[in-house]
């Protein structure tokens, strides 16, 4: 398993020189399932699309995919067809009504979650078809596997999603610990997102605990990116299969996602300023130094 993981990670690294332009790869990971990782991935993508970015969400939860389900999209083809060489990556890319594209995962196929060496190589080669995008957001599977570690190592930014639940915090630390031993920590950009926070105070306590432990016991730097409020609009959006940033752009979770993107892009965003405020700050000319 270690040799397989190393081979896939090397192949992911090889993607970078072949890209005509710099595609920013953001991997969204979690120590356990059920923390809202897919929801975060989709709404981050939509926020980026509002900044006129070409965004692709890759459902890399190979075996238990659900990005298309959350968005109410029924794909005709998915990654299973790519692995089986029935379709190319470009042929399965789906446009959506939200300004982003998705690559649907293959739910219910155990084989795709445990690829052989040659299958892994061919799969990664297919991923180069996404190099036209400005942003590729990889919604990884929960926990740690050779696939997850490979996607994480290939990413420019790794966003770790946790909730205030003790089990989520413990599992997130376990994920970070394995990452610190399997991946060159000097090359990783780890950022923490606290999901389903009841308050700013709660979110800060959770992030301080994780960041402090990672620093003290793993000598690893983890940055705090932000939080997303626990709000009924999120569950409503899931039931209606519409991203909450679309269902209610003025909601607290939507504001939080805009804050996350502004920090990732290093631009100003003030609560209540709206998307137009963010766009003005992002696009306004800068004085020459």
């Amino acid at each position: 398993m270690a040799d397989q993981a190393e081979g896939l990670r090397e192949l992911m690294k090889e993607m970078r020189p072949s890209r005509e332009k710099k595609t920013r790869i953001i991997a969204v990971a979690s120590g356990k399932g059920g923390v809202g990782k897919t929801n975060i991935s989709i709404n981050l993508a939509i926020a980026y699309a509002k900044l006129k970015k070409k965004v692709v969400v890759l459902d890399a939860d190979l075996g238990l995919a659900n990005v298309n389900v959350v968005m109410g999209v029924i794909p005709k083809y998915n990654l299973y067809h790519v692995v089986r060489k029935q379709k190319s990556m470009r042929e399965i890319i789906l446009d959506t009504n939200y300004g982003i594209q998705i690559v649907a995962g293959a739910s219910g196929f155990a084989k795709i979650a445990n690829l052989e060496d040659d299958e892994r190589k061919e799969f990664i080669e297919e991923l180069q078809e996404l190099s036209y995008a400005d942003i590729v957001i990889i919604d990884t599977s929960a926990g740690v596997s050779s696939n997850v570690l490979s996607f994480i190592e290939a990413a420019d930014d790794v966003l770790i999603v946790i909730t205030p639940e003790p089990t989520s915090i413990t599992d997130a630390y376990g994920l970070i610990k394995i990452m610190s031993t399997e991946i060159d920590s000097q090359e990783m950009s780890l950022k923490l997102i606290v999901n389903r926070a009841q308050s700013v105070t709660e979110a800060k306590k959770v992030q301080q605990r994780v960041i402090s432990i990672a620093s003290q016991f793993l000598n690893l730097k983890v940055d705090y990116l932000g939080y997303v409020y626990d709000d009924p609009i999120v569950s409503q959006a899931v039931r209606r299969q519409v991203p909450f940033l679309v269902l209610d752009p003025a909601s607290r979770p939507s504001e939080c996602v805009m804050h996350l993107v502004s920090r990732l892009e290093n631009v100003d965003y003030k609560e209540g300023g709206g998307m137009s405020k963010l766009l003005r700050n992002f696009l306004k000319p800068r004085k020459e130094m």
Side-chain angles (χ1 to χ4, degrees):
M1 180 65 72
D3 290 339
Q4 291 180 357
E6 170 110 15
L8 184 51
R9 289 197 290 273
E10 287 302 316
L11 286 167
M12 290 294 284
K13 286 181 178 180
E14 289 172 9
M15 283 181 61
R16 296 197 176 281
S18 66
R19 294 201 297 256
E20 295 179 359
K21 63 177 181 177
K22 176 67 173 178
T23 300
R24 186 173 187 179
I25 300 177
I26 300 173
V28 184
S30 66
K32 66 186 293 291
V35 298
K37 175 175 52 61
T38 296
N39 240 334
I40 295 291
S41 299
I42 292 170
N43 285 280
L44 279 175
I46 294 172
Y48 264 115
K50 290 181 180 293
L51 290 177
K52 308 302 181 185
K53 302 284 189 180
K54 293 181 181 178
V55 188
V56 177
V57 178
L58 172 66
D59 193 340
D61 191 343
L62 307 180
L64 295 172
N66 57 12
V67 163
N68 60 291
V69 176
V70 173
M71 300 185 70
V73 177
I74 302 176
K76 186 175 182 179
Y77 304 107
N78 55 48
L79 287 176
Y80 177 78
H81 299 93
V82 175
V83 172
R84 294 296 298 269
K85 300 181 182 180
Q86 297 171 356
K87 294 290 177 180
S88 69
M89 184 69 71
R90 189 170 289 274
E91 288 178 310
I92 71 166
I93 296 172
L94 285 175
D95 293 321
T96 71
N97 296 326
Y98 308 115
I100 66 173
Q101 295 178 314
I102 67 171
V103 173
S107 183
F109 294 96
K111 175 178 171 53
I112 196 174
N114 300 281
L115 303 178
E116 300 294 334
D117 286 345
D118 57 339
E119 292 174 323
R120 287 167 183 260
K121 181 176 180 180
E122 291 168 358
F123 176 69
I124 296 304
E125 289 173 350
E126 285 286 347
L127 287 179
Q128 296 185 41
E129 292 296 320
L130 305 180
S131 61
Y132 67 89
D134 298 311
I135 307 288
V136 173
I137 295 179
I138 303 177
D139 181 26
T140 70
S141 57
V144 180
S145 69
S146 58
N147 290 334
V148 170
L149 291 174
S150 300
F151 286 126
I152 285 174
E153 186 163 8
D156 298 297
D157 298 285
V158 181
L159 312 185
I160 301 173
V161 180
I162 65 172
T163 70
E165 296 177 0
T167 52
S168 176
I169 296 172
T170 301
D171 290 342
Y173 173 72
L175 171 63
I176 295 171
K177 183 176 181 180
I178 292 175
M179 289 165 58
S180 69
T181 58
E182 296 291 331
I183 301 173
D184 184 355
S185 59
Q186 299 300 317
E187 297 182 1
M188 282 195 299
S189 173
L190 298 181
K191 296 177 173 60
L192 198 67
I193 297 176
V194 180
N195 195 25
R196 299 175 188 160
Q198 297 295 327
S199 66
V200 176
T201 301
E202 180 181 57
K204 287 184 176 180
K205 285 183 179 179
V206 171
Q207 62 91 8
Q208 286 173 355
R209 180 178 177 186
V210 175
I211 291 175
S212 176
I213 293 174
S215 175
Q216 182 178 354
F217 295 102
L218 304 177
N219 193 30
L220 191 63
K221 184 177 185 295
V222 180
D223 296 317
Y224 177 47
L225 186 63
Y227 63 94
V228 177
Y229 275 115
D230 186 17
D231 192 285
I233 191 63
V234 177
S235 57
Q236 291 174 27
V238 172
R239 286 195 296 271
R240 294 176 62 172
Q241 293 182 290
V242 177
F244 60 76
L245 190 58
V246 175
L247 185 62
D248 188 354
S251 67
R252 294 196 305 172
S254 295
E255 288 277 356
C256 290
V257 169
M258 293 310 307
H259 276 292
L260 297 177
V261 170
S262 70
R263 289 167 186 164
L264 283 168
E265 291 297 306
N266 196 28
V267 296
D268 295 329
Y269 177 76
K270 293 182 179 179
E271 191 168 345
M275 180 60 69
S276 60
K277 173 78 171 179
L278 177 57
L279 281 171
R280 286 198 301 273
N281 284 328
F282 183 72
L283 299 175
K284 69 182 180 181
R286 304 294 181 185
K287 294 181 180 180
E288 293 185 4
M289 300 299 291

